Amino acid sequence: KGPPDIDEVVRKMQRKLSGIFGGGSSDNGDSSSNAGPIGFGLVLIVAFIVWILSGIYIVEPAERGVVLRFGAFQGVTQSGPHWHIPYPFEAVEIVNVEQSRNTEIGYRSTTGRAGSTIHSESLMLTKDENIVDLKIAVQYKVKDAAAYLFNVRNPDSMLRQMTESAVRETVGKSKMDFVLTEGRSEIARSTEVLLQSMLDSLETGLVITSVNMQDVQPPEQVQAAFADVVKAREDEVRQINEAEAYANDIVPRARGGAFRLVQEAEA
């Protein structure tokens, strides 16, 4: 039948509110004058209730709530329902402390495998002044939510820089052959220890869970020459083994024949 008359709707609501809160109903003028302050007070009460309820928040089991009062740290809340003084007095930052975070040095990948190479990160100098192309992945978690939020401006970015620094320092103390062969696990372990000490010294609130060497090889420009060197070493080892096997076979037989000749001569 057409849109309602807004003025009439407002007047009806004012009359109803006036009746609920004991306002007069002798005439429209008195009703409006009484319902105006009452309606305004009701709106204030509802707004206050909504404001109070806005301070309720829930922290999941894997999270921690960091309470700020006028931007200053107040405390950390554990999992469960909580209440804080609503805006603008207090605010809550939720931090997931169980989430496994990841940073990659020397490559970028979304599947966990070494993907596109970042040569500015992957090329590293060894103790014997050789260069290796190294890719490493670090998993970490947040152990202190307050330190994670306030002690360092960007802790995740800083961890990446610290990881690259720790890897370069560890590789710089090792020779190329060691890094490329049996030293992979040792390089990863030393990097983890050094990186954790750096993070603790700055109180970043982060803890390293694992350091994995994804790949390490000579630079692409010299891989062919390095492959020739590796093949030559393998040939050397093979020939030495063949010579030792031949010696182990011929020498005992020769000694046995000599001993037999001596015995025959004595006889």
Side-chain angles (χ1 to χ4, degrees):
K1 298 181 180 179
D5 187 348
I6 301 299
D7 295 335
E8 181 64 25
V9 171
V10 171
R11 285 195 294 272
K12 287 182 179 180
M13 291 185 64
Q14 289 177 343
R15 286 196 295 270
K16 290 181 180 179
L17 291 174
S18 176
I20 292 175
F21 290 96
S25 58
S26 59
D27 54 69
N28 292 337
D30 293 341
S31 176
S32 298
S33 62
N34 292 333
I38 294 174
F40 182 73
L42 181 61
V43 170
L44 289 179
I45 293 174
V46 172
F48 180 75
I49 294 175
V50 172
W51 180 74
I52 291 295
L53 293 178
S54 67
I56 299 175
Y57 65 97
I58 298 177
V59 180
E60 299 295 335
E63 298 173 340
R64 295 294 181 269
V66 181
V67 181
L68 313 177
R69 182 173 297 167
F70 296 111
F73 171 70
Q74 285 299 116
V76 177
T77 55
Q78 304 296 319
S79 60
H82 302 275
W83 182 85
H84 71 94
I85 303 175
Y87 179 86
F89 301 100
E90 289 186 350
V92 178
E93 294 280 351
I94 302 297
V95 179
N96 191 327
V97 297
E98 295 297 330
Q99 177 185 1
S100 180
R101 305 163 188 256
N102 180 72
T103 187
E104 301 164 339
I105 301 300
Y107 74 103
R108 297 293 182 270
S109 174
T110 58
T111 60
R113 294 184 175 183
S116 58
T117 301
I118 310 297
H119 292 294
S120 60
E121 297 178 357
S122 64
L123 296 178
M124 301 185 183
L125 188 66
T126 63
K127 181 179 180 180
D128 51 357
E129 298 182 353
N130 285 307
I131 296 177
V132 294
D133 193 339
L134 185 146
K135 301 177 180 65
I136 197 166
V138 176
Q139 283 77 40
Y140 62 98
K141 292 182 179 180
V142 176
K143 68 175 180 179
D144 188 333
Y148 175 76
L149 290 177
F150 299 112
N151 288 352
V152 179
R153 182 180 297 274
N154 192 335
D156 297 289
S157 176
M158 177 167 285
L159 181 135
R160 176 186 296 278
Q161 299 173 13
M162 286 184 172
T163 301
E164 184 177 350
S165 176
V167 174
R168 290 187 183 278
E169 179 175 343
T170 305
V171 172
K173 295 179 180 179
S174 307
K175 293 186 177 181
M176 181 178 185
D177 291 342
F178 179 76
V179 176
L180 294 176
T181 54
E182 74 273 9
R184 295 191 177 194
S185 59
E186 179 66 25
I187 295 294
R189 185 164 52 252
S190 300
T191 299
E192 180 177 352
V193 173
L194 178 59
L195 178 59
Q196 187 62 63
S197 66
M198 296 168 67
L199 293 172
D200 293 340
S201 65
L202 294 181
E203 299 180 353
T204 59
L206 299 175
V207 58
I208 303 300
T209 57
S210 67
V211 176
N212 300 311
M213 187 84 72
Q214 300 294 98
D215 186 28
V216 58
Q217 57 186 354
E220 183 179 354
Q221 295 84 345
V222 297
Q223 283 185 6
F226 186 83
D228 293 338
V229 173
V230 173
K231 186 176 183 302
R233 290 178 179 175
E234 293 175 350
D235 292 340
E236 178 186 8
V237 173
R238 178 178 54 79
Q239 291 179 2
I240 290 175
N241 292 337
E242 291 176 355
E244 290 178 350
Y246 176 75
N248 292 335
D249 175 65
I250 195 66
V251 171
R253 288 195 289 113
R255 288 175 178 173
F259 181 76
R260 179 175 55 79
L261 290 175
V262 171
Q263 295 296 319
E264 290 177 353
E266 290 178 354

